[in-house]
Amino acid sequence: MNIIQLDVRLTVIVGILVLYLGKYLTKKIKFLQNFNIPDAVSGGVLASLFFGICYGIFKQQIEFNLYIRDTLLIVFFTTIGLSAKLKTLIKGGKPLFILLVAAVFYLIVQNMTGVAIAALTGLKLPIGLLAGSVSLSGGHGTVIAWSPLFRDTYGIANAPEIGIASATFGLVFGGIIGGPIAKFLINKNRLQANNPNQDLTISIKEDEKNVTIDYNTMLNSVLVIAIAITLGLEINLIATAMGLKLPIFVSCLLAGIILTNTVPLGFKRFPWPSDTPALALISDVSLGLFLSMSLMSLQLWTLVDLAGPIALLLLVQLFMITVYTIFVVFPVMGKNYDAAVISAGYSGLALGATPTAIANMTAVTENFGASPQAFIIVPLVGAFFIDIANALIIQNFLDFLS
């Protein structure tokens, strides 16, 4: 096997080309348009298939330097925080709690489903957790953190491979099903955005005209983002010193929320970038490139090693999250337009990762209209609360199975 390693510069170039590919595919293929498949997902999946063919047929493995990708994730969540107005946060208090309860409950359902299918197919029961909330709601990071325990304590020698393959499955399909679910709910219930003319939290409507982005507004946005990230890094250091381990992007999200709800009150003449096309554009580009790089770098050949029972387990998990989102999440969130957008995000969150959820919601709102509440609730649940609850639930399931 010949390994070709691409440096940061080439990784960025390939990531941009993959994102362009996704935009081209979305423009040309009606299915992708109609079901709100994010550009980065369609381009990224096709690219990962291409690199998988290079691996399988030509014995060429492409490895990417993903340092810039991780930086883009921090930039993206910082822009989300800078867009979070206090009145929106207050309004999202009750829906945030409701979605959190629904999401935590589904962690239990997800693991019960995994364990049940593992029992029916003769797999070791802890494998059901690996293909449950560990890899799906948890993602690749949670797999890396927990797989040594499954390998060393529960005798699952290929636990890392099973977990990574399951997380890859979730990341891909989490970005595929969100748009169709939202479209189904919106059309079935004849829903409309509360304010069709409201600016999007992320991105700009494709048919929107006379959008003003000039040198000053862009430079101002970059300045504020840099300040917010600096504050976020300090918050992360303080949290770590207190024994609370937060991902850096969560700290930067919180920093953005703090700044956008305090600085404009004391410096009213300062042109704060919230709700500006410049900030929305930076947010959209950083998210798109993050996802395109994430998906194009997936090693899909790890899925080939999935045995039949694990493949069946994952398909059942896909079915379960679809049913749960439509018949539980959407009704409890109010059966309105915001609930449909949140459903698109939640399905991506429960199968893949928070950026996948945001990409799903972005694709939906670009077509149907803004939903500021969804872009506050889903990131807070997915980027902060779920990881804590998931760790506790995984440990309790392991204790029960021991």
Side-chain angles (χ1 to χ4, degrees):
M1 181 63 62
N2 183 33
I3 298 178
I4 302 174
Q5 295 181 324
L6 303 185
D7 59 18
V8 173
R9 175 177 54 84
L10 291 175
T11 299
V12 171
I13 290 173
V14 175
I16 293 173
L17 292 176
V18 167
L19 189 54
Y20 269 126
L21 173 63
K23 290 184 176 296
Y24 175 80
L25 292 174
T26 301
K27 185 178 294 185
K28 294 295 182 180
I29 301 175
K30 286 294 183 182
F31 171 82
L32 299 176
Q33 295 177 27
N34 293 339
F35 289 96
N36 307 298
I37 306 299
D39 298 332
V41 172
S42 53
V45 170
L46 187 60
S48 62
L49 288 172
F50 171 76
F51 294 129
I53 292 173
C54 291
Y55 176 89
I57 298 178
F58 303 106
K59 307 303 179 184
Q60 302 286 329
Q61 180 175 341
I62 312 296
E63 290 188 353
F64 300 95
N65 187 319
L66 298 175
Y67 173 79
I68 291 296
R69 181 202 67 171
D70 299 335
T71 302
L72 288 169
L73 180 67
I74 294 172
V75 171
F76 165 69
F77 275 105
T78 303
T79 63
I80 293 294
L82 291 172
S83 301
K85 298 293 183 63
L86 184 60
K87 60 181 181 181
T88 307
L89 290 171
I90 294 174
K91 185 179 179 182
K94 183 178 178 181
L96 173 64
F97 177 76
I98 293 173
L99 182 62
L100 177 60
V101 171
V104 171
F105 178 73
Y106 189 72
L107 292 175
I108 300 172
V109 173
Q110 202 166 48
N111 284 331
M112 290 178 64
T113 300
V115 171
I117 300 299
L120 290 173
T121 54
L123 295 171
K124 292 183 178 180
L125 297 186
I127 291 178
L129 302 182
L130 269 175
S133 74
V134 174
S135 59
L136 299 179
S137 292
H140 290 80
T142 305
V143 168
I144 293 171
W146 283 86
S147 57
L149 177 66
F150 283 84
R151 181 189 59 213
D152 301 334
T153 305
Y154 297 93
I156 304 172
N158 58 344
E161 289 76 14
I162 293 174
I164 292 295
S166 300
T168 301
F169 174 94
L171 191 62
V172 171
F173 282 92
I176 291 175
I177 68 168
I181 286 176
K183 181 180 175 64
F184 168 76
L185 293 173
I186 290 171
N187 290 341
K188 182 177 184 295
N189 297 279
R190 299 178 181 178
L191 303 175
Q192 290 184 337
N194 297 326
N195 184 357
N197 298 319
Q198 185 173 2
D199 292 334
L200 300 183
T201 304
I202 300 175
S203 189
I204 299 168
K205 292 181 182 179
E206 293 184 2
D207 58 351
E208 191 169 345
K209 306 297 183 182
N210 301 319
V211 176
T212 302
I213 299 178
D214 57 29
Y215 182 90
N216 288 330
T217 57
M218 183 60 73
L219 188 62
N220 183 56
S221 296
V222 173
L223 171 63
V224 171
I225 290 171
I227 293 172
I229 291 176
T230 301
L231 176 61
L233 294 175
E234 292 300 320
I235 291 174
N236 193 268
L237 289 174
I238 295 171
T240 301
M242 296 173 59
L244 180 61
K245 190 173 182 180
L246 292 176
I248 291 177
F249 68 83
V250 174
S251 303
C252 292
L253 171 70
L254 294 175
I257 293 174
I258 293 170
L259 290 178
T260 207
N261 289 286
T262 54
V263 174
L265 298 178
F267 300 88
K268 296 183 178 180
R269 291 188 177 183
F270 184 81
W272 199 251
S274 295
D275 302 325
T276 63
L279 188 68
L281 182 61
I282 293 173
S283 183
D284 192 22
V285 171
S286 58
L287 174 62
L289 284 177
F290 170 83
L291 272 180
S292 66
M293 291 182 187
S294 296
L295 290 169
M296 76 186 191
S297 61
L298 292 177
Q299 298 179 339
L300 289 182
W301 52 87
T302 59
L303 294 175
V304 177
D305 296 330
L306 281 175
I310 296 178
L312 174 63
L313 195 161
L314 292 174
L315 289 174
V316 172
Q317 293 282 25
L318 178 62
F319 172 77
M320 288 294 293
I321 188 57
T322 302
V323 171
Y324 188 79
T325 301
I326 293 174
F327 294 103
V328 178
V329 174
F330 177 67
V332 300
M333 295 310 298
K335 291 186 177 182
N336 53 22
Y337 176 73
D338 286 331
V341 178
I342 290 170
S343 296
Y346 177 72
S347 59
L349 179 66
L351 277 181
T354 304
T356 308
I358 303 298
N360 287 347
M361 296 192 298
T362 301
V364 172
T365 54
E366 282 178 348
N367 286 333
F368 295 100
S371 176
Q373 188 184 69
F375 282 89
I376 297 301
I377 292 174
V378 174
L380 285 176
V381 169
F384 183 68
F385 296 110
I386 279 297
D387 285 340
I388 298 173
N390 197 17
L392 296 173
I393 289 172
I394 291 169
Q395 188 59 60
N396 283 328
F397 264 90
L398 287 174
D399 292 342
F400 176 77
L401 295 177
S402 299

